Amino acid sequence: DPALVYQARCEELEEFKRYEVYDKVPLEDCYRITGKPPIGIRWVDVNKGDEVNPNYRSRLVVKEIKKDKREDLFAATPPIEALRMLFSLAVTQGIGYTGQRYKGMKIDFIDVKKAYLNAKATRDIFIQLPDEDHEPGMCGKLKKAMYGTRDGAQNWEDEYMTFMRDLGFISGSSTPCVFYHPGRNLRAVVHGDDFTILGHEQELDWFRDRITKKYEIKIG
């Protein structure tokens, strides 16, 4: 439905403005700094609902194609065993805890909305402006990481690693996206923008309060 796609795209651009994703700068700045034209962009439009109950989402992404052999643009992902361990502990120290559920541990599933847009851009990246925000002779210089940039996942990883460590979490030695908080006995696994965290209810409330103050989240 073109009308619903248009509405979804307008909502995405409003989020871009709110997160201050890019500054408009003259095209000359792009050529002077990079020697190349701005990187192309595209819209990814999906209906997460159905024809009866539509739920249109549009995401503006960068088309940055790999043209070199850089191996330093990397973001870790946790092994499936890490999540299995949390689920096992949720049973043995949670609902199976001496038959007293209220004394055991629980699991929170937290999704950070617009995760990449919380991370700062660490390179000079210039993008074409979308038609809805076009201005002759201008392009966009990224201030935040956009989906489609080669180091977007890495920048987001740096962002949430700093957040977790500031709260007192220690990241794992085998994989950096597994965390433990020694003072509060919290365990967490982070996969992209999804946080799975195990702990006692009052400690989960503490974490939920902290992450809500930092990011926009959805709790499953």
Side-chain angles (χ1 to χ4, degrees):
D1 186 328
L4 293 179
V5 169
Y6 176 76
Q7 180 181 347
R9 290 185 178 187
C10 289
E11 291 173 356
E12 174 79 345
L13 288 178
E14 285 300 315
E15 292 293 285
F16 267 52
K17 293 177 182 178
R18 189 162 64 89
Y19 281 92
E20 299 181 338
V21 176
Y22 60 77
D23 285 333
K24 287 185 179 181
V25 298
L27 278 168
E28 289 79 3
D29 288 1
C30 174
Y31 284 100
R32 175 174 51 83
I33 294 174
T34 69
K36 302 175 183 178
I39 302 173
I41 58 172
R42 66 166 294 180
W43 283 104
V44 178
D45 306 304
V46 297
N47 180 9
K48 292 193 172 183
D50 52 40
E51 293 183 2
V52 178
N53 300 293
N55 180 19
Y56 278 56
R57 302 287 181 86
S58 292
R59 175 172 285 172
L60 187 62
V61 302
V62 180
K63 298 189 294 183
E64 187 175 22
I65 308 300
K66 180 178 179 180
K67 295 182 178 181
D68 55 51
K69 296 182 179 180
R70 290 185 60 178
E71 297 181 355
D72 58 322
L73 301 178
F74 171 80
T77 56
I80 188 64
E81 289 81 8
L83 280 176
R84 288 173 177 169
M85 180 62 72
L86 287 192
F87 298 151
S88 175
L89 289 172
V91 174
T92 57
Q93 298 186 35
I95 61 174
Y97 182 75
T98 65
Q100 299 175 324
R101 295 189 180 191
Y102 67 93
K103 289 187 177 181
M105 292 185 172
K106 300 179 180 179
I107 283 184
D108 265 358
F109 299 96
I110 298 175
D111 174 33
V112 176
K113 299 180 180 180
K114 308 289 183 183
Y116 280 25
L117 305 189
N118 290 281
K120 294 180 180 179
T122 57
R123 297 181 290 132
D124 289 325
I125 303 178
F126 297 84
I127 64 168
Q128 295 176 356
L129 294 173
D131 292 340
E132 297 84 353
D133 196 28
H134 179 71
E135 189 173 332
M138 304 293 282
C139 63
K141 185 177 189 297
L142 291 190
K143 299 170 63 179
K144 301 293 181 64
M146 269 183 69
Y147 293 93
T149 53
R150 289 183 58 196
D151 57 351
Q154 184 182 65
N155 292 342
W156 165 240
E157 180 181 280
D158 292 341
E159 165 66 26
Y160 77 72
M161 290 283 289
T162 299
F163 167 72
M164 295 293 279
R165 287 169 178 166
D166 286 347
L167 291 182
F169 283 88
I170 299 171
S171 59
S173 56
S174 60
T175 174
C177 34
V178 173
F179 298 88
Y180 177 64
H181 196 299
R184 296 183 178 272
N185 196 26
L186 288 170
R187 294 175 174 85
V189 175
V190 182
H191 188 180
D193 54 12
D194 295 318
F195 288 66
T196 305
I197 184 161
L198 172 77
H200 290 95
E201 188 168 358
Q202 65 271 22
E203 305 301 347
L204 293 176
D205 290 342
W206 169 83
F207 182 77
R208 196 180 301 129
D209 175 70
R210 296 304 189 276
I211 197 171
T212 300
K213 291 178 179 178
K214 181 69 173 178
Y215 308 116
E216 290 186 63
I217 66 169
K218 179 174 64 179
I219 300 177

